[in-house]
């Protein structure tokens, strides 16, 4: 399988604060790679660097053969290839569900309105929201808004989906709706990088888990191995605190 995302020796500083410290990882086509760790460990910063919402201080990131961190990188192309689903949905409140999904394909990819709407309706069916195309975001539950955000990202035909805490802003009774959509994407072979603090979620969906601490990826393993027998003391300490609550 080809490598979809390659992160090599990436560091990111915010002034004197080191957010990422020499991070390296690879995500293969069809891989569901979950990034876990305590608050402030660098998880979200890593995702934002991959999508060029943040610029790295040093190191390199590739999406397929495109150097994301290069001085001539095509930022628009990078964001077409990496669908980003934010924790807070980031839907446009003044647009309907259908218009939220069709906006970028029409403007960025110059797709006709009819073609964009046909694809949007296909995606709404895929996420179980066919009947909501004319609704506005404020009329939807958190779980429904997050599923619209996923459909909006998929409308750009990304090679990899980046999820930032996809269920944290969703009430518990609706969060399984988001889980079901993500599991379906995994079955269909979508490459995903997911930042999450939910250990059960990671254990159920991930192919591999990367544990971050103090800006470093300390350990990468299949979820069963990681959660039952972590190799590092730092991972064992983290899990003992999380799983004891």
């Amino acid at each position: 399988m080809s490598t979809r995302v390659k992160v090599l020796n990436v560091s990111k500083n915010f002034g004197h604060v080191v957010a990422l410290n020499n991070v390296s990882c690879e995500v293969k086509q069809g891989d569901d790679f979950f990034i876990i760790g305590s608050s402030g460990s660098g998880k979200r910063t890593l995702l934002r660097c991959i999508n060029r919402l943040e610029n790295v201080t040093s190191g390199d990131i590739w999406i397929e053969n495109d150097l994301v961190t290069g001085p001539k990188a095509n930022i628009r192309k990078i964001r077409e290839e990496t669908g980003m689903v934010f924790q807070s949905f980031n839907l446009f409140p003044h647009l309907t569900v259908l218009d939220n999904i069709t906006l970028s394909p029409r403007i960025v990819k110059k797709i006709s309105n009819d073609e964009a709407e046909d694809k949007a309706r296909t995606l709404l069916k895929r996420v179980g929201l066919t009947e909501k195309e004319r609704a506005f975001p404020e009329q939807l539950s958190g779980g429904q808004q997050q599923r619209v955000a996923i459909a909006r990202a998929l409308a750009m035909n990304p090679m990899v989906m980046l999820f930032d805490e996809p269920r944290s802003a969703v009430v518990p009774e609706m969060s399984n709706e988001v889980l079901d959509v993500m599991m379906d994407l995994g079955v269909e072979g979508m490459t995903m990088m997911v930042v999450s603090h939910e250990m059960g979620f990671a254990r159920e969906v991930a192919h591999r888990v990367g544990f971050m601490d103090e800006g470093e990826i300390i350990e990468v393993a299949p979820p069963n191995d990681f959660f039952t027998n972590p190799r590092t003391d730092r991972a064992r300490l983290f899990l003992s605190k999380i799983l004891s609550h």
Side-chain angles (χ1 to χ4, degrees), residues 13-42:
N13 300 337
F14 295 98
H16 297 296
V17 176
V18 178
L20 298 175
N21 182 20
N22 202 37
V23 171
S24 296
C25 64
E26 288 192 20
V27 182
K28 300 288 187 181
Q29 181 180 353
D31 195 6
D32 297 339
F33 184 54
F34 271 60
I35 307 165
I36 66 173
S38 58
S39 179
S41 60

Side-chain angles (χ1 to χ4, degrees), residues 161-233:
M161 290 281 284
L162 308 176
F163 291 90
D164 178 11
E165 299 281 11
R167 301 202 306 174
S168 64
V170 180
V171 294
E173 59 267 27
M174 297 295 181
S175 64
N176 284 340
E177 300 173 347
V178 178
L179 171 62
D180 290 343
V181 170
M182 293 181 67
M183 291 185 72
D184 286 345
L185 288 175
V187 169
E188 293 165 10
M190 174 58 73
T191 307
M192 298 189 287
M193 293 185 72
V194 184
V195 164
S196 181
H197 68 278
E198 297 179 85
M199 300 303 103
F201 184 34
R203 196 165 194 164
E204 191 166 357
V205 178
H207 293 150
R208 294 183 303 140
V209 172
F211 170 63
M212 290 194 73
D213 189 42
E214 296 183 356
E216 301 176 1
I217 294 183
I218 303 299
E219 188 170 337
V220 177
N224 284 342
D225 293 348
F226 178 77
F227 287 110
T228 59
N229 189 28
R231 297 191 308 271
T232 62
D233 289 341

Side-chain angles (χ1 to χ4, degrees), residues 81-99:
E81 294 174 343
T82 55
M84 185 86 172
V85 179
F86 296 91
Q87 179 180 7
S88 55
F89 321 134
N90 284 16
L91 299 175
F92 293 109
H94 63 290
L95 297 180
T96 66
V97 164
L98 194 68
D99 289 339

Side-chain angles (χ1 to χ4, degrees), residues 59-97:
D60 290 310
I61 300 172
W62 286 265
I63 303 294
E64 284 279 319
N65 297 317
D66 293 328
L67 181 61
V68 172
T69 48
K72 297 181 179 180
N74 184 333
I75 305 299
R76 189 172 78 173
K77 183 181 179 186
I78 290 164
R79 291 181 184 157
E80 287 181 28
E81 294 174 343
T82 55
M84 185 86 172
V85 179
F86 296 91
Q87 179 180 7
S88 55
F89 321 134
N90 284 16
L91 299 175
F92 293 109
H94 63 290
L95 297 180
T96 66
V97 164

Side-chain angles (χ1 to χ4, degrees), residues 13 50 54 103 131 152 206 209 218 227:
N13 300 337
I50 291 169
E54 298 285 356
L103 183 65
E131 75 286 357
R152 181 178 62 178
V209 172
I218 303 299
F227 287 110

Side-chain angles (χ1 to χ4, degrees), residues 99-169:
D99 289 339
N100 263 284
I101 297 171
T102 60
L103 183 65
S104 289
R106 287 190 289 107
I107 292 176
V108 177
K109 293 198 166 185
K110 309 301 182 185
I111 293 173
S112 71
N113 192 58
D114 286 347
E115 184 181 352
E117 288 190 356
D118 285 346
K119 179 160 190 176
R121 290 188 174 105
T122 298
L123 290 169
L124 284 172
K125 183 177 180 181
R126 187 175 180 181
V127 300
L129 290 173
T130 301
E131 75 286 357
K132 298 295 185 180
E133 68 172 60
R134 295 298 174 191
F136 289 89
E138 66 177 10
Q139 298 170 314
L140 305 178
S141 70
Q144 289 170 336
Q145 289 187 61
Q146 192 63 291
R147 284 184 283 156
V148 172
I150 292 171
R152 181 178 62 178
L154 290 172
M156 297 297 285
N157 295 322
M159 289 194 295
V160 58
M161 290 281 284
L162 308 176
F163 291 90
D164 178 11
E165 299 281 11
R167 301 202 306 174
S168 64

